[in-house]
Amino acid sequence: MNKYWIYILLILLVSCRPPAPEVRNEGLPPWCRVYFTPRDPVVDRMVSLVDHAQKRVWAAFYSFTQKEVARALLRAKGRGVDVRVVMDDATARSEFSQSHLIRGRIPLRTDFTPSDFMHNKFMIIDSFITWTGSYNPGETGSYRDNNNVIVISSTRVAANYEDEFLEMWSGKFGKGSSGPTLNPRIPIGRVMVETYFAPEDPCAQRLIELIRGAKKSIHFATFAFTLEPVAAALLERSLAGVEIKGVMERGQNSPWCCYRIFEDSGIDIRWDQNLYYLHHKFFIIDGKIVITGSFNPTKHAGNANDENMLIIHHSGVAQKYLKEFNRLWERQWE
């Protein structure tokens, strides 16, 4: 068989490859899906959602280097979908940023605040589907780092995220943001969902309140952790007999990192073993409540950056995150 026919055969094999299977989401409410990188096909899921958008795709990502997603946005724009993108100004200038592909073809805004970050990681589709978590679309974030994605189908949740997006779209970033979220607590059936946005909402204070309300256990996985009031709340619950376990990103070790505070206080704490990044920002309270989003427990995240925090009061969602935590807790070098 000559090289030409071998080449044609390879093309046919690739084109006939079935799509990645949907991740099993037993125990979750029907309006919620949860994914974890690097093992879940988040790029396929994101591209599929964008390809099925009919009216609107608004995306806000700190960094954006995934070509497949950029091409999906361009396809959506070509179908007449209202596509807009907000990015951090520094990452948008990177030579790897997909801003170079979409600029001039899709409306793009950046924050223009060099000392602060537009650190959000969310996308809203057709005013109904909200995609958020710790994930930035990119090769490393998709296939090497540890990230979480949560997808919520709810017009009311989407409305809060759209309000935040429009605020940034109008040029109000960081400390120039508008007032607090008017309706942060949203019941979906019997499940309470909360949405908060820094710096206008007291994200750190809400996190501390939930920590102080813990009765049995707190598990957390964080990229950066320097906010001592949050660390103090964890120490209080530990002294009260609550089980505390945490996994943190080794690359964030610094004089300001709270790891040593936990270690010296006898809290079960471990450095992550991924050779790349543990990029999660989640807490699990009593196996019933999950706090996730872009918010790291740091002073800058609460007072200066544009961030989002999503809280879900549902044991099935919490167990999904707890399984991820236990995998991180037990694993060896990858």
Side-chain angles (χ1 to χ4, degrees):
M1 184 181 294
N2 63 37
K3 291 182 179 180
Y4 173 80
W5 288 109
I6 292 174
Y7 178 69
I8 294 298
L9 179 60
L10 287 173
I11 291 176
L12 290 172
L13 287 172
V14 171
S15 64
C16 293
R17 184 177 58 190
E22 177 60 81
V23 176
R24 300 175 70 180
N25 278 281
E26 295 94 338
L28 301 185
W31 42 263
C32 176
R33 290 291 179 267
V34 175
Y35 308 107
F36 298 101
T37 68
R39 67 182 184 276
D40 291 337
V42 293
V43 175
D44 289 350
R45 298 282 79 82
M46 180 175 274
V47 168
S48 178
L49 288 173
V50 173
D51 279 342
H52 286 86
Q54 298 180 15
K55 296 180 180 180
R56 178 180 298 167
V57 178
W58 291 353
F61 288 106
Y62 170 69
S63 68
F64 179 16
T65 61
Q66 193 73 46
K67 290 182 179 179
E68 293 92 334
V69 176
R71 290 166 180 158
L73 292 175
L74 289 170
R75 289 194 297 271
K77 180 68 174 177
R79 297 194 306 272
V81 174
D82 176 13
V83 180
R84 308 183 199 182
V85 176
V86 171
M87 293 179 63
D88 183 77
D89 58 337
T91 61
R93 292 193 298 269
S94 165
E95 63 177 306
F96 303 106
S97 174
Q98 291 306 301
S99 64
H100 304 306
L101 175 62
I102 66 176
R103 193 183 298 274
R105 304 163 75 182
I106 291 175
L108 172 68
R109 302 275 170 89
T110 62
D111 59 339
F112 300 109
T113 52
S115 62
D116 306 326
F117 298 139
M118 198 304 295
H119 196 244
N120 280 307
K121 300 115 175 33
F122 69 77
M123 180 172 65
I124 318 112
I125 298 173
D126 291 338
S127 301
F128 181 60
I129 296 172
T130 302
W131 168 300
T132 189
S134 65
Y135 170 76
N136 292 299
E139 291 293 312
T140 301
S142 302
Y143 305 115
R144 296 180 179 86
D145 296 344
N146 294 112
N147 281 292
N148 70 93
V149 169
I150 187 162
V151 183
I152 305 293
S153 298
S154 162
T155 54
R156 293 182 64 188
V157 171
N160 280 359
Y161 276 83
E162 285 188 332
D163 286 346
E164 174 69 7
F165 184 90
L166 288 173
E167 179 182 285
M168 295 186 293
W169 192 255
S170 71
K172 296 178 181 178
F173 291 94
K175 296 174 184 177
S177 299
S178 301
T181 304
L182 294 178
N183 298 293
R185 295 173 61 85
I186 300 169
I188 306 178
R190 297 182 178 181
V191 180
M192 182 58 66
V193 176
E194 303 178 51
T195 62
Y196 300 99
F197 303 92
E200 59 266 41
D201 291 328
C203 292
Q205 185 58 42
R206 183 60 182 136
L207 175 58
I208 290 170
E209 290 171 357
L210 291 167
I211 289 171
R212 287 177 173 164
K215 305 299 183 185
K216 296 180 179 180
S217 64
I218 301 171
H219 300 80
F220 65 90
T222 61
F223 177 71
F225 197 144
T226 61
L227 197 57
E228 291 189 5
V230 176
L234 289 169
L235 296 182
E236 289 173 10
R237 299 318 295 152
S238 178
L239 291 173
V242 174
E243 178 191 51
I244 313 288
K245 285 186 176 181
V247 181
M248 296 172 60
E249 165 54 41
R250 184 186 298 272
Q252 289 294 302
N253 190 13
S254 73
W256 302 276
C257 180
C258 291
Y259 186 95
R260 300 303 173 196
I261 296 175
F262 298 138
E263 188 176 52
D264 293 344
S265 301
I267 286 179
D268 279 339
I269 189 74
R270 293 182 182 178
W271 292 120
D272 176 59
Q273 299 301 307
N274 189 343
L275 292 173
Y276 293 91
Y277 284 136
L278 179 142
H279 197 240
H280 288 306
K281 305 99 170 46
F282 70 73
F283 286 73
I284 310 160
I285 310 294
D286 289 337
K288 298 178 181 179
I289 302 171
V290 171
I291 303 112
T292 187
S294 69
F295 182 84
N296 289 297
T298 69
K299 184 176 181 180
H300 211 70
N303 296 339
N305 292 351
D306 288 285
E307 308 272 5
N308 76 93
M309 176 185 284
L310 180 74
I311 303 168
I312 299 188
H313 299 252
H314 188 277
S315 59
V317 177
Q319 291 306 307
K320 188 85 170 176
Y321 275 82
L322 190 57
K323 185 177 180 180
E324 168 72 359
F325 176 87
N326 288 333
R327 191 184 66 81
L328 298 171
W329 183 260
E330 298 296 339
R331 76 178 174 189
Q332 300 299 314
W333 287 98
E334 293 187 347

